[in-house]
Amino acid sequence: MIKLNSSDNDIKQLKEKIASKVRHPFLARFIPEPTIDEDKLVILTSIMDHTNLSDVKKEQYIITTMLVQIALDTHDLVSLTEEDDDHDTIRQRQLTVLAGDYYSGLYYYLLSQLDDIPMIHTLAGAIKEINELKMELYYKDVESFQEFLNGLKKIESLLIQRVASYVQKTIINDMAGEWLLAKKLLEEKRSYQEGKFSLLIDVLMNRSGILGNSGQVIMSIEQILQSHVHRLEVTVSQLPIHFNWLKSYVHAAIHHQFNQRKIAEEG
């Protein structure tokens, strides 16, 4: 059990604990180990650090919430079936679905040990809402790019916001929404520019009446990111003083992710 005090060491220990729980020897033979979103882990840790919960519950809530996030992220990696897919591709898809289900089961198991039915309801409700939002965003028509961004922001931040509301720390919600949206846009843009598949950009390119070709999509995302940074910094600065460690972390991340990127691109 970790006695949380919002530090880099706490985050490292939590990541190791989460990694040990999701590590499965059979799955590891065929698919990469899941990525643990450190930014979301940092936000969750800061939220729990400022509650009156026991250390056991704090750690349990963080780990189970991150397992939910990993399960959601893993299912997002499942590609759509194509007629010409070979045996290995189909097998990997099936294993990825299995992995997502396995991670989902882990958090229910851990919460059942804690005997915390209200928290299970909170997480289950968030999962249902996130999956519904994904269906609307990726498979139904939206009227504008801004509407698309609003939906994406909800998908990225809703799980953490529901947990924050459950432990009565909603003051973190605006910052979480702004930061996680910016982070997602930056990741998708970078992935696409590196020649990797980006579901977000693929949807925007193929959604009639929103943006159009890849150049327009990338340009619009870049404009959003540039205008977003200042608003994000203001939102972070408005957090109470007891969130100073989180504020320092996010400000450093903003500088690393945005300012350094801008310098590199201009150079």
Side-chain angles (χ1 to χ4, degrees), residues 22 52 71 91 98 118 129 138 149 172 202 215 218-219 234 253:
V22 299
N52 293 322
R91 186 182 189 187
L98 175 63
E129 191 170 348
Y138 292 122
L149 290 176
I172 210 81
D202 184 68
I218 295 297
M219 184 180 299
V234 170

Side-chain angles (χ1 to χ4, degrees), residues 8 16 21 34 49 90 124 127 148 189 235 244 247 250 262:
D8 293 338
E16 290 173 352
K21 291 186 181 298
D49 193 33
I90 294 171
I127 292 169
F148 188 92
K189 174 176 174 282
T235 304
N244 273 351
K247 292 163 73 172
V250 177
K262 185 176 181 181

Side-chain angles (χ1 to χ4, degrees), residues 135-263:
M135 291 297 294
E136 291 179 5
L137 192 69
Y138 292 122
Y139 299 105
K140 296 182 181 180
D141 289 334
V142 292
E143 296 181 357
S144 66
F145 184 45
Q146 186 58 54
E147 184 180 345
F148 188 92
L149 290 176
N150 291 341
L152 183 62
K153 181 178 178 180
K154 287 181 181 178
I155 289 170
E156 288 302 306
S157 58
L158 189 140
L159 179 62
I160 285 178
Q161 290 174 343
R162 288 288 184 273
V163 173
S165 297
Y166 180 74
V167 298
Q168 300 180 357
K169 294 295 174 183
T170 55
I171 197 164
I172 210 81
N173 285 357
D174 287 344
M175 185 283 297
E178 297 292 344
W179 170 236
L180 295 175
L181 172 63
K183 177 173 174 285
K184 180 65 173 179
L185 290 173
L186 188 60
E187 287 175 348
E188 294 290 324
K189 174 176 174 282
R190 183 186 296 121
S191 180
Y192 181 80
Q193 291 178 328
E194 291 175 353
K196 301 172 185 175
F197 176 73
S198 165
L199 177 60
L200 173 67
I201 292 177
D202 184 68
V203 168
L204 287 171
M205 286 171 54
N206 292 288
R207 190 68 60 85
S208 61
I210 296 185
L211 291 175
N213 61 45
S214 60
Q216 290 174 315
V217 171
I218 295 297
M219 184 180 299
S220 296
I221 289 176
E222 184 60 35
Q223 290 172 347
I224 289 293
L225 287 171
Q226 289 177 0
S227 64
H228 200 77
V229 173
H230 177 67
R231 184 165 69 252
L232 176 58
E233 289 179 328
V234 170
T235 304
V236 174
S237 299
Q238 290 174 343
L239 289 174
I241 192 170
H242 54 271
F243 282 106
N244 273 351
W245 182 80
L246 176 61
K247 292 163 73 172
S248 297
Y249 175 91
V250 177
H251 279 306
I254 292 170
H255 174 74
H256 176 73
Q257 296 282 351
F258 293 93
N259 297 340
Q260 294 291 81
R261 172 188 59 88
K262 185 176 181 181
I263 291 170

